[in-house]
Amino acid sequence: MKKKLAVAASTFSVVAMLLAGCGGSGFSSDSASSSDKLTSDTSKELTVLIASSGDPETNAVKKAVQEWATKNKRKATVSVASDINQQLSQGFASGSPTDVFYLAPDQLAGYASSGSLLAYGDQISNRSDYYSSLLQSLTYDGKLYAIPKDVSTLQLVINTDMWSAAGLTSADYPKTWSQLESVAKKLTTSKHVGLTFSPQYARVGTFMAEAGGGLVNAKGTKATANSAQSLKGLTEVKKLIASGSTAFSSDLGAGWGGEAFGTGKAAMTIEGNWILGSLAADYPNVKYKVIALPSGPAGKGTMQFTNGWGIAQDSPDQKGAISLVKYLTTKSVMMQFAKAFGIMPGNSKFAADWKKAYPDQAPFIDGLQYAIGVPTAKGASTVVSDFDSQLAQLKNTEPKTILDKTQKNLDAIYK
Amino acid sequence: MMFSSANPGSKKRGHSSDTSIKINHTREQISAWMFCAPMLIILGVFLVIPIVMALWVSFSDWSGRGSPFSSGVHFIGLGNYDSVLVTPGLSQSDFGTAIRNNAWYTLLVVPLQTLLSLLLAVMLNRRILKAKGFFRTAFYFPSVTSSVAITVLWLFLFGSTGSINAVLSWFGINGPNWFNDPRGLLQILFSHLGVSQGPALLTQHGLLGISWWDWLSGPSVAMFAIMLMVIFTTSGTFMLMFIAALQSIGEGTEEAAIMDGTNAWQRLWHVTVPQLKPTIFTVVTLGIIGTWQVFDQIYTGTRGGPSKTTLTPAYLSYSAAFDNQEWGQGAAISFILFVIIVVMTWIQRQIMKDRKMSRRKIAYYEALKSETRGLSNVSASQLRGKGNPDVANREGKNHE
């Protein structure tokens, strides 16, 4: 019996070593930083993985990638992920990842720290054209790992029919918190509330920003969740909700603010520029106007979100991948994307053109001047989702309790 | 393992020794191993090795790139287990929340689905019932449908303006916002009794970063909606098991019970259910394993929300690994889950084991047996005979 066990054990260890060998070979662990160290195996086709919002986005990206491939006499395929985190992780673990992919800033720290990402920032000559706050959220440990694919900000979207039905005019657009409170009250009827947004930091954070706070400081180096400013912002949210003129979208039975707004359950919502596509597709009869969020005690404030183009360290053709990303962030492709699925370019040089093409959405791109980002340190996304889970209970909880707990959790990360 | 087909006289072992056919046991063993080899390899590659790899990952600092056995990965001991079980922080409180949610889920789902499937099986096993096939198919149908499809259906039914709330509104009930209501069922009950904040003893102390008051909050409304769905889908499968068991029970016992004047409920609880004990054991065991592994419904439905009240260890393990790149923690959680399942199954086995008889009863049965053995065949047959004076005598004594 013992002998058999020994045989089994040794067989197993041989298989394990074989497996280890498979995974271990085929890539170098030191990160290439200068261009002569970059891999450039052009025999294989370049793979692109995207998390698409729908057919318009998929088709636009496919078209752009094909344009690049034809120009460079290469083969490239675009696939749409159903769960991009899982698919990227599988690729990195197996040692044969997708070459180019959408990269969310809150995932960046995890992938970068394991050495899965190529820090190709120094290959991009025009990176100073990008908004610096965007580049900062795509930087880990002093290295730029991705350049922004697009950017979004949050602003106030109002239902113009409900607005005029409540006897309000364009002179009544709220400039301050107290004006917001009063218009929200005037817009509240038995059928709908005045204002709605989702119970998550990515909406509630606008109030914290308007009060001069946020979960982390502007440089993203220190937790400021329970600062006096952040507390002021969250207290304002609680005040709005307690007044009955404002409700979280989940309390209205909607998945997000856009759904509550589109179905007429709310007269105003705080959402990003993606809401316009959704309103056009799902609720074409709703008339709306986008205005800037009112100022708080510390002036204007909003939140920005971005997605980067990531490149895998284990890609056999890093040079080709960089060339593709450069092409995908050129002005003509950016404007194609903007037309196809309503994105805003993260490149400040394109802002004027974009604003000219979409004057109705100007408040969104203007918001980039004063927007704050979401925390991007490794493990921060768990803390933010914990913060979100507490926000759902804001009605019955003191804002300070929520912020203190989040501060404690963030302190564990920003040591 | 031993193939005796080489020996034609194997039926009479005593006589085969004088024949000259020699069995080559080594060759038999080799061929046996060769027959088993494909399965062993498949099990090894797809089951044993992944499990051992995951076990290694749970003790290592693997970051998710390349093989976990490569040289850059270090053994870090119990670090990953420590951060979910011991060190106060978000990892620990998330794990505690997940265990809390799943404990309530198991506590309610297992008994309810077992009872429901048993009742369905008894009902559908009655010979008097018409269209049995139709009903069996109807009740079994949810089990064969994909859990993802059922979850999507459930999200529609239990939406705040969904069918369930529409039906409730006919009766003047303002239904909850099912999948977005994080309140615990027990806490809702307490709040109706005027208790909205627990005593300090319960709120100040706790386990795994969760206060006792939160442990006692009960499943949330959202979790309750998922429970209903799971009971709906699984009871069909378990009903089939019970039907199979019921059909193997002879009708004699039940007929005897009818002759003894029992009613239908008495027959169910005192005659049928005790005979179903092995099946009940199987169903409860499968139930415990299945409820601790709940994943699909959470992944497609709520992703842990609202307020983490539908977070389960299986989903937490997934999100720790894939969303947060904490591979070690994810693997550690799955092994803790494995231990929980083994321990709970063991406890359940101890509870459902046949009770030992009391000493008095054992002595009584022993005496009865020895008395019966003591009787000679003749007197035993005489006992059976009619008009036997002995029997009459005994009966007379008994009547006194």
Side-chain angles (χ1 to χ4, degrees), chain B residues 52-62 68 80 327-329 331-332:
Chain B
V52 174
M53 273 172 103
L55 191 63
W56 161 246
V57 168
S58 79
F59 289 110
S60 80
D61 62 352
W62 185 56
N80 291 318
W327 296 89
Q329 269 181 34

Side-chain angles (χ1 to χ4, degrees), chain B residues 6 169 204 216 236 246-247 272 278 308 329 341 373-374:
Chain B
S169 71
Q204 299 301 317
L216 291 176
L246 282 170
Q247 287 180 343
T272 313
K308 298 189 177 175
Q329 269 181 34
I341 290 173
R373 282 195 198 109

Side-chain angles (χ1 to χ4, degrees), chain B residues 54 84 94-95 98 292 294-295 311-337:
Chain B
V84 289
D94 276 356
F95 180 69
W292 277 103
V294 57
F295 178 83
L311 197 64
T312 65
Y315 181 72
L316 184 66
S317 161
Y318 167 83
S319 77
F322 286 100
D323 294 336
N324 304 327
Q325 305 296 311
E326 295 286 355
W327 296 89
Q329 269 181 34
I333 292 168
S334 61
F335 278 97
I336 297 168
L337 192 59

Side-chain angles (χ1 to χ4, degrees), chain A residues 12 15-16 19-20 23 27-28 83 85-86 89 92-93 107 110-111 114-116 250-251 253 313-314 378 381-383 386 389 392-393 409, chain B residues 33 48-49 52-53 62-67 69-70 89-90 93-94 160-161 177 180 182 299 303 307-308 318 321-327:
Chain A
F12 170 73
V15 176
L19 276 178
F27 62 85
S28 57
D83 185 337
N85 289 350
Q86 185 194 331
S89 299
F92 295 142
Q107 295 293 320
Y111 295 143
S114 68
S116 305
S250 53
D251 290 331
Q313 176 70 50
D314 293 340
K378 187 167 196 283
S381 63
T382 334
V383 179
D386 186 70
S389 79
Q393 314 252 41
N409 290 333
Chain B
W33 278 109
V48 181
I49 293 175
V52 174
M53 273 172 103
W62 185 56
S63 61
R65 181 185 179 221
S67 160
F69 293 118
S70 62
L90 203 51
S93 68
D94 276 356
S160 67
T161 51
N177 189 355
N180 276 308
Y299 180 78
R303 297 214 153 212
S307 292
K308 298 189 177 175
Y318 167 83
F322 286 100
D323 294 336
N324 304 327
Q325 305 296 311
E326 295 286 355
W327 296 89

Side-chain angles (χ1 to χ4, degrees), chain A residues 252-318:
Chain A
L252 297 174
W256 61 298
E259 190 187 336
F261 182 80
T263 50
K265 287 174 182 160
M268 299 189 287
T269 186
I270 300 172
E271 272 300 337
N273 29 312
W274 52 78
I275 192 180
L276 305 185
S278 160
L279 288 174
D282 301 334
Y283 315 101
N285 298 324
V286 176
K287 293 197 190 84
Y288 61 86
K289 183 170 174 60
V290 181
I291 59 169
L293 282 163
S295 304
K300 289 192 163 189
T302 187
M303 305 197 71
Q304 69 186 21
F305 310 95
T306 188
N307 240 314
W309 283 110
I311 296 178
Q313 176 70 50
D314 293 340
S315 164
D317 185 14
Q318 294 167 338

Side-chain angles (χ1 to χ4, degrees), chain A residues 26-44 46 68 74 95 97-100 116-118 120 123 311-324, chain B residues 65:
Chain A
F27 62 85
S28 57
S29 54
D30 57 332
S31 60
S33 53
S34 65
S35 60
D36 47 279
K37 272 190 190 167
L38 292 173
T39 58
S40 61
D41 176 6
T42 53
S43 62
K44 284 179 193 138
L46 211 62
W68 172 86
R74 286 289 310 276
T98 318
D99 301 294
V100 179
S116 305
L117 298 178
L118 177 70
Y120 67 94
Q123 306 288 321
I311 296 178
Q313 176 70 50
D314 293 340
S315 164
D317 185 14
Q318 294 167 338
K319 269 188 182 159
I322 292 171
S323 151
L324 173 62
Chain B
R65 181 185 179 221

Side-chain angles (χ1 to χ4, degrees), chain B residues 249-268:
Chain B
I249 295 176
E251 283 169 12
T253 338
E254 185 154 12
E255 277 165 16
I258 293 171
M259 296 306 288
D260 283 345
T262 55
N263 64 30
W265 276 107
Q266 284 171 327
R267 285 201 299 282
L268 178 65

